[in-house]
Amino acid sequence: MFELVYEILLMLGGIAMIVIGLAIPEQGKGSRILNIVVGLAFFCYGFYLMFLAPVGSRYTIFFYAFILPVLLIVRAVKARKEAREQAAAQQFAAQGHPGQPVQGWTAPEGQPGPYGHAPQGQPGYPAPQGQYGAAPQAHHGQAPQGQPGYPAPQGQYGHPQGQQGYPTS
């Protein structure tokens, strides 16, 4: 009984490796050839044991022989998955990133800029906030002069820009 199961599994494993070697072109050429050759060997050996071996002949059953087809099939499936992921990544890179402006273009007014940040310096958007989201506070009636990590506001041509309600000098 075990002999019959062994012979059938040999032939089915061989057929599976042949089909995978022919059907998955994402593998390397060497991997495809290896799958087909090992698949043919498994199928032929199973066919020999089932139909051509003399009746009553004895042979040793090696269940370890089924590790190789499983490993080759898993490797072929992984190669196909990696090829699909790589093709999707290349297609994504070729199309650009959705929601981000094309290089050299700015986001239209009212639309978020790159990485979801609001465009800076456009009307209708607040100035950058201070540390932890708090707006910079004026101390003793003076305008804030720039905090660590925030440069002083610049106007046109790099000149300091006066803040609303405070004269420039």
Side-chain angles (χ1 to χ4, degrees):
M1 178 65 185
F2 286 117
E3 292 86 10
L4 180 65
V5 172
Y6 180 68
E7 295 160 0
I8 290 172
L9 286 177
L10 280 173
M11 291 192 315
L12 289 176
I15 290 171
M17 286 191 291
I18 292 169
V19 168
I20 285 180
L22 294 173
I24 300 181
E26 291 88 3
Q27 301 179 77
K29 192 174 186 177
S31 293
R32 292 179 74 186
I33 292 171
L34 180 66
N35 271 342
I36 293 169
V37 168
V38 172
L40 283 171
F42 269 64
F43 181 79
C44 290
Y45 184 59
F47 185 83
Y48 168 77
L49 290 177
M50 185 173 269
F51 299 111
L52 303 176
V55 177
S57 64
R58 298 186 58 113
Y59 56 89
T60 305
I61 296 175
F62 292 105
F63 285 105
Y64 294 113
F66 296 110
I67 294 173
L68 182 62
V70 170
L71 290 177
L72 291 177
I73 290 170
V74 167
R75 192 169 108 186
V77 171
K78 281 185 181 181
R80 184 175 190 174
K81 180 181 176 186
E82 289 173 1
R84 285 184 177 178
E85 288 174 354
Q86 187 176 17
Q90 289 174 352
Q91 183 180 12
F92 179 74
Q95 290 177 352
H97 304 290
Q100 294 182 7
V102 179
Q103 187 175 2
W105 293 85
T106 58
E109 190 171 338
Q111 297 293 322
Y115 303 105
H117 293 272
Q120 299 295 320
Q122 292 188 7
Y125 290 96
Q129 300 272 317
Q131 189 174 10
Y132 304 113
Q137 300 293 321
H139 297 284
H140 306 291
Q142 295 180 348
Q145 295 298 320
Q147 296 179 350
Y150 292 99
Q154 298 291 313
Q156 191 173 10
Y157 305 114
H159 296 290
Q161 175 183 353
Q163 294 188 0
Q164 192 173 20
Y166 296 101
T168 57
S169 39

